[in-house]
């Protein structure tokens, strides 16, 4: 397999040598991989703006020794323009890209569900489909679920006792009942847990009716839960603008 | 592996950007074969550059004095500031001889994914400058990539209430290129920023 084609979202770029860049790609069929785009930093590069972070592209790649090499790139949809023209959206898109990189631990391992989540989230963000902050939280919750870390939001995560329960524990895996509650547990509002459940299942009708204080509390819980499971927090998350 | 000093030299050279193990080895052997005076000169220059070069207290450009050459120059237009990411960009713009105002070097672009937020750049210093001096126009000349655009958006939002004219460098087709190879974003921008021809 010397030459192959794939669709991808550009997650990150790093400078390499005089005019090249290492592009971290999240591809549809080959998972996350790093490829070299030669000459991309020259003003006359034929790649132009196609290989910037958040770009959604159709690529031809050449299998190299350490890194694959990008030989051709066509845009499928350009999210970059609308994302960089809105500072809040840009910080949120950065957090989504960073999370996507962290959720795909192994390079070259296909992760179609995670890929579709990233594409969907960026699309919704670029088109301003919903509130930007909600899109980020929905994305984080759903990629946590795909990665196998779905927090329990109604039943007790330990004894499966039907909820809703008063306590939420990071260590305990979400909602916990009074009997199973570990010593440190948060006590979020019932509406906050409902919002998180709506976001996790994709019930936007319910989610957009939520109140600001529930959204804030949910964002805090999701960020803490994410950090607990990824062991190291996302660097871009503290820089995200929440309104 | 070589022994002692020569291996230390190869290791140190190998830490420089763009220098791989083979290049490091080649440079190291070149230094060994060089005349003693040549090497001494190199050592002197390295030491002086580290001791003398600092950042201009006003614009953040590199300089050997308190203020850089451009900030000291009384002939430059005090009413315009061009905001760039790096000192290297100042040099690139100076070469065009198109701009006669002053500069402000941010020291990078906002990049949340690398943990670089607005407070890590010299944005506060820029705002102080805007409040204190008679500035009429700000030209934002950050790189035309996503980080650069996002930084420009952030600055524009911050400066807007001050009622100072804000402009962004135009982007479009490179001179000497082929239209068919231009990507959609660049070509779109070129259309957006097209100009009337005075025939």
């Amino acid at each position: 397999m010397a030459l192959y084609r794939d669709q991808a979202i550009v997650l990150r770029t790093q400078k390499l040598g005089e005019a090249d860049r290492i592009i971290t790609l999240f591809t549809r069929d080959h998972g996350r991989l790093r490829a070299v785009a030669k000459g991309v930093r020259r003003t006359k590069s034929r790649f132009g703006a196609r290989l910037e972070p958040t770009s959604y592209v159709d690529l031809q790649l050449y299998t190299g020794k350490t890194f694959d090499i990008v030989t051709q790139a066509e845009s499928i949809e350009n999210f970059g323009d609308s994302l960089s023209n809105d500072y809040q959206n840009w910080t949120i898109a950065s957090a989504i890209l960073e999370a996507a990189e962290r959720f795909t631990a192994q390079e070259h391992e296909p992760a179609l569900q995670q890929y579709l989540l990233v594409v969907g989230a960026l699309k919704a963000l670029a088109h301003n489909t919903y509130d930007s902050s909600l899109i980020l939280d929905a994305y984080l919750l759903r990629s946590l679920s795909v990665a196998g870390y779905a927090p329990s939001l109604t039943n007790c995560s330990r004894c499966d006792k039907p909820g809703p329960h008063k306590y939420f524990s990071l260590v305990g895996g979400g909602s916990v009942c009074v009997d199973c509650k570990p010593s440190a547990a948060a006590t979020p509002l019932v509406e906050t847990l409902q919002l998180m459940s709506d976001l996790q299942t994709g019930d936007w009708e319910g989610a957009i009716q939520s109140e600001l204080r529930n959204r804030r509390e949910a964002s805090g819980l999701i960020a803490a839960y994410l950090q607990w499971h990824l062991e190291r927090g996302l660097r871009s998350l503290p820089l995200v603008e929440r309104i | 592996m070589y022994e002692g000093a020569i291996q230390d030299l190869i290791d140190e050279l190998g830490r420089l950007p763009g220098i791989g193990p083979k290049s490091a080895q080649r440079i190291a052997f070149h230094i060994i074969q060089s005349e003693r005076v040549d090497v001494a000169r190199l050592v002197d220059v390295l030491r002086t550059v580290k001791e003398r070069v600092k950042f201009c207290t006003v614009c953040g450009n590199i300089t050997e004095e308190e203020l850089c050459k451009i900030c000291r120059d009384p002939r430059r237009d005090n009413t315009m500031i061009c905001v760039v990411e790096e000192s290297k960009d100042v040099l690139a713009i100076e070469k065009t001889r198109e701009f006669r105002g002053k500069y402000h070097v941010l020291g990078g672009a906002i990049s949340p994914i690398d943990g670089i937020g607005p407070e890590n750049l010299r944005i506060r210093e820029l705002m102080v400058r805007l409040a204190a001096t008679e500035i009429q126009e700000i030209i934002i000349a950050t790189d035309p990539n996503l980080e650069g655009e996002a930084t420009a958006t952030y600055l524009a939002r911050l400066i807007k209430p001050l009622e100072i004219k804000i402009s962004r460098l135009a982007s479009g087709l490179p001179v000497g290129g082929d239209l068919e190879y231009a990507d959609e974003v660049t070509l779109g921008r070129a259309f957006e920023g097209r100009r009337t021809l005075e025939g």
Side-chain angles (χ1 to χ4, degrees), chain A:
Chain A
M1 191 177 65
L3 271 178
Y4 63 98
R5 264 183 80 169
D6 208 340
Q7 298 186 346
I9 290 277
V10 177
L11 296 182
R12 186 197 282 268
T13 63
Q14 286 161 275
K15 288 182 182 174
L16 175 72
E18 188 78 7
D20 309 338
R21 274 203 188 116
I22 297 175
I23 314 278
T24 307
L25 297 162
F26 192 173
T27 63
R28 191 187 167 91
D29 302 327
H30 299 82
R32 180 170 62 85
L33 57 91
R34 286 183 295 169
V36 174
K38 291 196 186 269
V40 70
R41 279 153 63 202
R42 293 187 209 281
T43 46
K44 283 193 209 168
S45 162
R46 62 202 150 88
F47 296 127
R50 294 187 189 108
L51 294 175
E52 291 284 307
T54 71
S55 291
Y56 183 26
V57 281
D58 190 353
L59 295 171
Q60 187 177 54
L61 295 125
Y62 180 80
T63 316
K65 271 186 192 158
T66 329
F67 298 123
D68 293 353
I69 294 158
V70 182
T71 56
Q72 287 176 29
E74 268 301 318
S75 295
I76 298 173
E77 197 176 336
N78 169 38
F79 302 133
D81 244 14
S82 59
L83 293 179
S84 63
N85 283 332
D86 182 326
Y87 186 68
Q88 190 200 10
N89 278 357
W90 161 247
T91 55
I92 287 177
S94 300
I96 292 175
L97 297 183
E98 193 185 352
E101 196 175 348
R102 296 282 295 280
F103 277 121
T104 46
Q106 282 289 322
E107 287 197 4
H108 296 281
E109 196 154 293
L112 187 59
Q113 272 183 298
Q114 289 282 8
Y115 170 81
L116 293 174
L117 275 177
V118 178
V119 176
L122 290 180
K123 212 174 252 182
L125 202 58
H127 297 169
N128 277 320
T129 320
Y130 304 107
D131 175 70
S132 309
S133 202
L134 283 182
I135 295 176
L136 173 65
D137 288 336
Y139 167 76
L140 292 175
L141 270 176
R142 286 196 225 166
S143 36
L144 275 166
S145 308
V146 171
Y149 300 128
S152 170
L153 295 170
T154 42
N155 291 4
C156 171
S157 65
R158 296 215 164 150
C159 66
D160 212 26
K161 190 171 157 190
H165 298 289
K166 193 178 162 195
Y167 299 100
F168 186 91
S169 157
L170 303 180
V171 195
S175 288
V176 276
C177 66
V178 188
D179 305 326
C180 302
K181 163 182 108 68
S183 54
T187 49
L189 298 166
V190 186
E191 295 86 0
T192 304
L193 287 178
Q194 182 56 42
L195 169 65
M196 286 169 72
S197 159
D198 288 346
L199 291 174
Q200 196 177 37
T201 51
D203 180 3
W204 286 100
E205 293 287 312
I208 52 176
Q209 282 166 10
S210 59
E211 284 180 35
L212 192 60
R213 58 182 183 145
N214 300 121
R215 290 185 189 186
R216 288 216 175 115
E217 192 175 32
S219 297
L221 281 180
I222 293 166
Y225 191 79
L226 183 78
Q227 177 157 5
W228 170 261
H229 283 288
L230 289 179
E231 289 176 355
R232 192 156 49 84
L234 296 181
R235 288 209 278 186
S236 41
L237 215 48
L239 295 169
V240 165
E241 277 204 341
R242 306 268 194 183
I243 293 170

Side-chain angles (χ1 to χ4, degrees), chain B residues 65-98:
Chain B
E65 325 234 340
E66 189 72 14
L67 295 179
C68 73
K69 204 172 69 188
I70 297 169
C71 289
R72 281 200 313 262
D73 191 344
R75 288 167 302 174
R76 306 219 40 143
D77 189 350
N78 266 325
T79 60
M80 283 166 102
I81 290 186
C82 178
V83 181
V84 294
E85 288 182 17
E86 308 280 352
S87 295
K88 287 179 280 186
D89 303 329
V90 172
L91 199 69
I93 297 175
E94 279 299 283
K95 276 189 194 162
T96 66
R97 296 169 182 271
E98 288 280 337

Side-chain angles (χ1 to χ4, degrees), chain B:
Chain B
M1 284 289 273
Y2 295 92
E3 284 176 10
I6 177 77
Q7 188 58 43
D8 291 345
L9 179 60
I10 294 175
D11 291 344
E12 283 306 313
L13 289 170
R15 285 165 54 181
L16 298 174
I19 309 279
K22 277 284 175 203
S23 317
Q25 196 177 324
R26 201 165 55 238
I27 298 169
F29 276 95
H30 174 82
I31 290 174
I32 291 167
Q33 284 161 5
S34 304
E35 294 289 330
R36 190 174 282 265
V37 281
D38 293 331
V39 179
R41 201 169 53 238
L42 176 67
V43 172
D44 278 348
V45 173
L46 283 177
R47 191 175 290 132
T48 347
V49 88
K50 213 48 210 163
E51 278 168 8
R52 283 213 210 131
V53 174
K54 51 192 174 191
F55 297 102
C56 171
T57 46
V58 174
C59 72
N61 196 1
I62 46 169
T63 174
E64 289 187 25
E65 325 234 340
E66 189 72 14
L67 295 179
C68 73
K69 204 172 69 188
I70 297 169
C71 289
R72 281 200 313 262
D73 191 344
R75 288 167 302 174
R76 306 219 40 143
D77 189 350
N78 266 325
T79 60
M80 283 166 102
I81 290 186
C82 178
V83 181
V84 294
E85 288 182 17
E86 308 280 352
S87 295
K88 287 179 280 186
D89 303 329
V90 172
L91 199 69
I93 297 175
E94 279 299 283
K95 276 189 194 162
T96 66
R97 296 169 182 271
E98 288 280 337
F99 180 67
R100 297 298 302 161
K102 301 209 165 166
Y103 291 93
H104 191 87
V105 182
L106 292 177
I110 299 174
S111 175
I113 209 162
D114 299 311
I116 301 174
E119 64 282 356
N120 301 105
L121 303 175
R122 300 184 72 253
I123 291 178
R124 195 176 299 125
E125 286 87 340
L126 175 66
M127 299 312 286
V128 171
R129 259 180 104 179
L130 293 186
T133 46
E134 285 297 305
I135 309 292
Q136 285 167 9
E137 184 175 356
I138 294 282
I139 302 167
I140 302 177
T142 48
D143 287 345
N145 52 29
L146 272 200
E147 280 102 358
E149 292 294 343
T151 310
T153 311
Y154 180 83
L155 286 177
R157 196 179 70 178
L158 210 62
I159 298 169
K160 206 176 171 195
L162 301 179
E163 291 183 349
I164 295 173
K165 183 179 172 192
I166 314 163
S167 55
R168 172 95 175 102
L169 280 199
S171 47
L173 300 171
V175 179
D178 270 13
L179 195 76
E180 62 164 330
Y181 283 115
D183 64 287
E184 301 75 18
V185 182
T186 310
L187 198 52
R189 293 268 182 89
F191 261 99
E192 222 174 273
R194 70 187 182 279
R195 61 195 168 87
T196 325
L197 283 181
E198 303 288 340

